[in-house]
Amino acid sequence: MANTYRAFAILLSYPTTDNAALMPAVLETLAAEKIAPRKLVRDLTPLAFELSRDDLYEAQARYVDLFDRTRSLSLQLYEHVHGESRDRGQAMVELLNLYSAHGLELTAKELPDHLPVFLEFLSTQPQAEAAALLGQAAHVLEALRERLNKRQSIYARVFDVLVAVVEADRNPEAVKALLQEPDDNPDDLEALDKAWAEEQVTFGPDQVGCPKAEALLGRMKESAA
């Protein structure tokens, strides 16, 4: 089991005083387990420092603007494939069942396709399996990294590390397709309302770059065999 994935989950979670206090332990864990390249781990220090020392309300506002009000940066993985369609709901039910089968029970407020939740689940799995499962989200992770880099966001460094530990072949065309979707502006309220009113928004090729529940279940069955 690798606490590295739990450390990633904390870095990408909504800032709280409890998480701020964990930042030194987060960096220590990443350095000690050596799953991620050392240089990239060092690059996370400014983010960890800001999350532990910045005004909490400012950190929370920045997080909300990036990941909650900017649909193209959503940390809900299935949103980048299914939008708000019924397919997303079914996929989340299957992913929730997968978590339950491996002893991870979510609270009523947690969505199973939320990236920090997915990373928390990976922390309960053997390292090789966790890296392979993360690889099923490789295209979404890379697209998020590109968008965050474009905004010069310090959160891009987390995605640098996640992409580095993924065990999956790169698919530049899939990433390109994801990046062709509009990068919304959280300050453009009219555009946001229009986007959220859409019945279904598909980011890139259908079912590309998302850790589909069926695929996850398949890999779990292979591991158990």
Side-chain angles (χ1 to χ4, degrees):
M1 311 300 176
N3 285 321
T4 287
Y5 296 99
R6 181 170 289 114
F8 291 145
I10 293 171
L11 285 169
L12 290 175
S13 293
Y14 182 72
T16 64
T17 52
D18 288 342
N19 284 344
L22 290 173
M23 288 303 145
V26 163
L27 293 178
E28 290 175 8
T29 296
L30 292 172
E33 291 192 346
K34 299 179 181 179
I35 292 174
R38 182 180 302 177
K39 180 185 182 302
L40 295 182
V41 170
R42 287 199 301 266
D43 290 343
L44 292 174
T45 301
L47 173 61
F49 183 82
E50 285 193 15
L51 291 175
S52 64
R53 299 293 183 90
D54 273 7
D55 178 84
L56 180 61
Y57 295 110
E58 290 183 4
Q60 291 173 340
R62 175 179 59 189
Y63 184 94
V64 169
D65 277 348
L66 278 175
F67 301 123
D68 294 340
R69 295 182 60 200
T70 309
R71 193 165 190 172
S72 58
L73 292 175
S74 173
L75 297 182
Q76 311 295 345
L77 296 176
Y78 285 151
E79 188 173 315
H80 294 281
V81 176
H82 301 302
E84 295 300 317
S85 71
R86 293 179 180 179
D87 290 339
R88 183 188 176 199
Q90 180 59 38
M92 289 202 294
V93 168
E94 293 174 357
L95 190 55
L96 186 60
N97 290 337
L98 173 65
Y99 292 164
S100 297
H102 287 80
L104 178 61
E105 300 294 337
L106 304 187
T107 68
K109 294 181 179 181
E110 293 178 307
L111 294 176
D113 67 336
H114 192 221
L115 181 54
V117 172
F118 184 59
L119 291 168
E120 183 70 25
F121 169 68
L122 295 185
S123 73
T124 69
Q125 304 303 305
Q127 158 53 17
E129 187 67 17
L133 293 172
L134 184 64
Q136 295 181 38
H139 311 314
V140 172
L141 298 177
E142 290 196 42
L144 288 172
R145 177 177 66 169
E146 291 296 322
R147 290 190 185 279
L148 288 166
N149 271 322
K150 182 179 178 181
R151 293 169 183 261
Q152 298 183 329
S153 169
I154 197 169
Y155 276 100
R157 305 289 75 77
V158 182
F159 288 88
D160 287 342
V161 186
L162 288 174
V163 169
V165 301
V166 158
E167 292 184 1
D169 293 334
R170 297 292 182 263
N171 187 336
E173 290 303 315
V175 178
K176 181 180 179 180
L178 289 168
L179 291 173
Q180 285 178 343
E181 293 297 327
D183 192 1
D184 42 328
N185 179 357
D187 295 322
D188 188 343
L189 299 182
E190 182 177 351
L192 285 176
D193 288 341
K194 181 178 179 180
W196 286 108
E198 296 292 335
E199 181 178 355
Q200 178 176 358
V201 177
T202 301
F203 288 79
D206 184 37
Q207 298 184 356
V208 168
C210 186
K212 292 172 58 182
E214 298 92 334
L216 292 173
L217 286 166
R219 288 199 62 88
M220 292 296 179
K221 291 177 181 178
E222 291 174 5
S223 299

